[in-house]
Every structure is written in C-alpha cells, then in structure tokens.
C-alpha cells in the first residue's frame, strides 16, 4: 500500500489501502450489522503495483459492499440471487444512459451463468481470457462462477484469488467448486470480455483453514483478523466490488479508462492514443500542465 507520515505527527505511519476486503467484514462486526443487511462504501484506493493499461489504473474507485448472511445462505442459489439483483441495476442503468445520450444499448435483459469447471472441460486448451471471450461474445453478459484454485496439473483453474476472501473450494450441486465469480460483459469497443464486478460468499472457519493450507500460508491463521474469523467473532458474509470508472468506461463506450478517470498514464501511450483521437484525462499532458511534472 501507499504509505505516508503526517507532517505534525512524526513517526506515525499511515497508508492508503488498496483493498477493503477484510475491513468490510470487520466493519459488519464493529457496527453490529444484523443478518440480511450490509454496508456499501464509496472506496478510493491506490494500487501502486498494479499493471496500468486500458482497463486498469493506479487509482481504484469502486462501490465496495459486504452483507451479513446466515450460515444457511452459504450456497450457490443465494449467490446467484445476489448477482441477479446487481445485474438488474447495471441493466437498468445502461438503459437510462443509452436513452439519455443516444447510445445503442448492448446488455441482454437475461444474464447467463457459467462455470470455470465446465468451460475448462469444453475448451481445455484455451487460456482463461480466451474462455471468457468465448462466453461473453456469445452471451454478451455472463456471471462466471468458480474463480481461484488449481487444476489437477497444478496450474490456475481460472485466475487467482486470495485464500482468506472468497470461498473457492466448496463443492456445488453441479459438481464444480467455488461460491464466487466475476460479472463479465462483452465490450463492443474493445471486442473482448470486460469485468464489471468480482464477488463471492466469503470463507467460513473451515474453508479458511483449508485454503490457507492449499496456498501454503497456514501461518496466517495466527493473524488477528484470521483469529477473529476462526473464533466466530466475524460474521458470515457475501461481498464484492463494482468498479466505478470501469462501469463508466463501459457505459460510455470509452476505449481507455483514462477517458473517464483523471489519473497518471504512460506518457508514451498517451501520445500514441492521441493519434487515434483518444484523449486521456490527467497526467501525461506534461506540456499542457507544467504542475504535473515530476520533481
């Protein structure tokens, strides 16, 4: 994380977080949020080690949410119901934006559910991104279930996930594993799958210990937050994040996230994009904005 020391408090080290995943679950406990209710945060963070490209920036803005659930809610049907509610909001928003600005609507009214387990069987030689593209080009909007974990050959099943956030090992009735997923759409400008949100039912004590072992970090169970989960202090939850700039990029059919978010982007790439008529907001415009020059 990005850290700094307040001028008037030497020796005090503060940080700008890059994720609220653990904090949100703790907050539900701290604020005594009852089952069936949750919190939504307007998160602003910095991810200094992230790759910067047309869909990623160093600055993160997203609606981070977490909901207290009952133990009986830790199942795929509860996850799907939650996903459908979020997708309905996205669909309605696109309809409103397209009507206001004269943009062609693209999202289907119905969301398709698919699993990484089935897609690996159907397309064993495809990369994870290729499998996403196949699904999204066909269905336009997909919730891709089962992110994280390894295949039998030791390679990633479909992208990586931390062992202490989502549950990616619980067996589902369809024989697959994982109670998490990504909400993906087909981006008509970029001609590829485009992630809007990542979410999932969070680990319970049993799953936490198993996933820590699978990732080779069993020592984490001694950390304060992990102890609070293991002793039952932290509630069972479902949660995720919805990228704000990412969603705006999709809805406004922007080719680069820098068209909707003021940030720092590679000056060389800024110049290349200009030639194609794509103008980014923020740093990179060194001549036009002398104050943006690095010291």
């Amino acid at each position: 994380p990005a850290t700094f020391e307040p001028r008037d408090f030497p020796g005090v080290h503060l940080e700008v977080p890059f994720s609220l995943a653990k904090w949100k679950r703790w907050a539900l406990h701290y604020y005594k949020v009852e089952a069936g209710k949750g919190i939504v945060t307007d998160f602003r963070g910095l991810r200094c080690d992230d790759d910067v490209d047309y869909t990623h920036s160093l600055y993160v803005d997203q609606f981070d949410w977490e909901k207290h659930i009952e133990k009986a809610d830790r199942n795929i049907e509860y996850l799907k119901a939650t996903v459908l509610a979020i997708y309905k909001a996205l669909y309605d928003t696109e309809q409103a934006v397209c009507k206001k600005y004269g943009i062609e609507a693209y999202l289907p009214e119905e969301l398709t559910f698919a699993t990484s387990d089935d897609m690996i069987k159907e397309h064993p030689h495809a990369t994870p991104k290729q499998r996403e593209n196949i699904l999204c080009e066909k269905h336009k909007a997909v919730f891709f279930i089962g992110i994280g974990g390894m295949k039998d050959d030791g390679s990633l099943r479909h992208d990586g996930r931390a062992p202490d956030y989502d549950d990616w090992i619980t067996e589902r009735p369809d024989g697959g594993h994982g109670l998490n997923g990504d909400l993906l759409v087909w981006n008509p400008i970029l001609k590829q799958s485009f992630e809007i949100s990542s979410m999932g039912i969070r680990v319970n004590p049993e799953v936490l210990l198993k996933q820590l072992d699978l990732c080779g970090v069993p020592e984490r169970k001694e950390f304060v937050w992990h102890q609070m989960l293991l002793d039952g202090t932290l509630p069972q939850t479902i949660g995720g994040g919805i990228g704000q700039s990412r969603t705006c990029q999709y809805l406004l059919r922007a080719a680069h996230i820098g068209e909707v978010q003021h940030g720092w982007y590679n000056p060389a790439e800024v110049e290349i994009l200009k030639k194609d008529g794509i103008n980014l907001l923020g740093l990179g415009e060194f001549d036009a904005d002398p104050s943006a020059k690095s010291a």
Side-chain angles (χ1 to χ4, degrees):
T3 60
F4 64 97
E5 185 176 292
R7 181 197 62 190
D8 296 331
F9 297 89
V12 174
H13 297 282
L14 303 179
E15 67 180 42
V16 180
F18 55 81
S19 170
L20 292 184
K22 290 188 175 72
W23 179 87
K24 291 182 297 179
R25 195 164 182 178
W26 170 86
L28 291 177
H29 155 69
Y30 181 79
Y31 292 110
K32 298 180 174 60
V33 178
E34 62 188 69
K37 296 184 177 181
I39 59 172
V40 178
T41 71
D42 187 7
F43 175 60
R44 301 286 189 272
L46 293 175
R47 293 182 178 172
C48 305
D49 296 325
D50 246 14
D51 295 328
V52 178
D53 58 26
Y54 51 90
T55 62
H56 297 85
S57 66
L58 301 176
Y59 173 70
V60 184
D61 56 346
Q62 62 185 32
F63 292 118
D64 254 320
W65 61 276
E66 199 82 9
K67 182 180 180 182
H68 183 174
I69 62 175
E70 302 283 4
K71 291 181 179 179
D73 297 327
R74 299 191 75 261
N75 58 70
I76 191 63
E77 295 308 319
Y78 193 92
L79 174 62
K80 286 184 175 180
T82 302
V83 171
L84 288 174
I86 292 173
Y87 182 73
K88 176 67 163 56
L90 177 65
Y91 175 83
D92 289 347
T93 301
E94 190 201 37
Q95 292 292 310
V97 170
C98 290
K99 181 178 180 180
K100 182 176 178 63
Y101 295 105
I103 302 172
E104 181 182 357
Y106 205 74
L107 292 176
E109 191 168 358
E110 299 296 325
L111 177 68
T112 297
F113 288 92
T115 72
S116 59
D117 306 273
D118 286 342
M119 285 301 290
I120 289 172
K121 294 175 184 177
E122 294 176 21
H123 306 278
H125 303 299
T127 66
K129 185 63 177 179
Q130 288 170 339
R131 289 192 286 269
E132 289 182 1
N133 287 339
I134 291 169
L135 274 173
C136 290
E137 186 172 16
K138 179 179 180 181
H139 299 290
K140 310 309 178 192
V142 177
F143 187 71
F144 201 49
I145 301 169
I147 311 296
M150 301 294 181
K151 295 190 292 186
D152 292 338
D153 63 5
S155 62
L156 279 175
R157 176 175 55 160
H158 190 90
D159 206 354
R161 282 294 186 273
D164 37 18
Y165 295 164
D166 296 343
D167 178 340
W168 38 260
I169 64 169
T170 291
E171 186 171 2
R172 304 185 305 268
D174 63 12
H177 294 81
L179 298 176
N180 67 347
D182 289 340
L183 178 56
L184 308 170
V185 299
W186 181 252
N187 190 309
I189 303 299
L190 301 176
K191 305 297 183 186
Q192 65 178 42
S193 64
F194 191 79
E195 181 184 323
I196 295 292
S197 179
S198 177
M199 68 190 82
I201 291 175
R202 308 306 197 188
V203 295
N204 61 15
E206 178 184 5
V207 171
L208 172 65
L209 292 175
K210 289 181 180 179
Q211 292 188 173
L212 289 177
D213 285 341
L214 286 171
C215 290
V217 288
E219 68 278 3
R220 289 191 191 179
K221 67 178 180 290
E222 304 301 331
F223 294 172
V224 173
W225 185 91
H226 296 71
Q227 283 292 305
M228 292 179 71
L229 175 57
L230 292 171
D231 68 16
T233 300
L234 300 181
Q236 298 303 305
T237 65
I238 183 174
I242 303 169
Q244 295 178 19
S245 291
R246 185 75 69 84
T247 300
C248 290
Q249 180 184 354
Y250 173 77
L251 293 176
L252 297 177
R253 308 298 187 250
H256 195 288
I257 195 169
E259 294 181 82
V260 298
Q261 183 195 96
H262 191 290
W264 186 90
Y265 304 100
N266 185 330
E269 292 183 2
V270 171
E271 293 304 315
I272 294 172
L273 291 168
K274 276 184 181 180
K275 295 177 182 178
D276 290 325
I278 299 172
N279 296 304
L280 306 189
L281 304 172
L283 308 187
E285 302 286 349
F286 295 109
D287 293 334
D289 184 6
S291 64
K293 291 182 178 179
S294 300

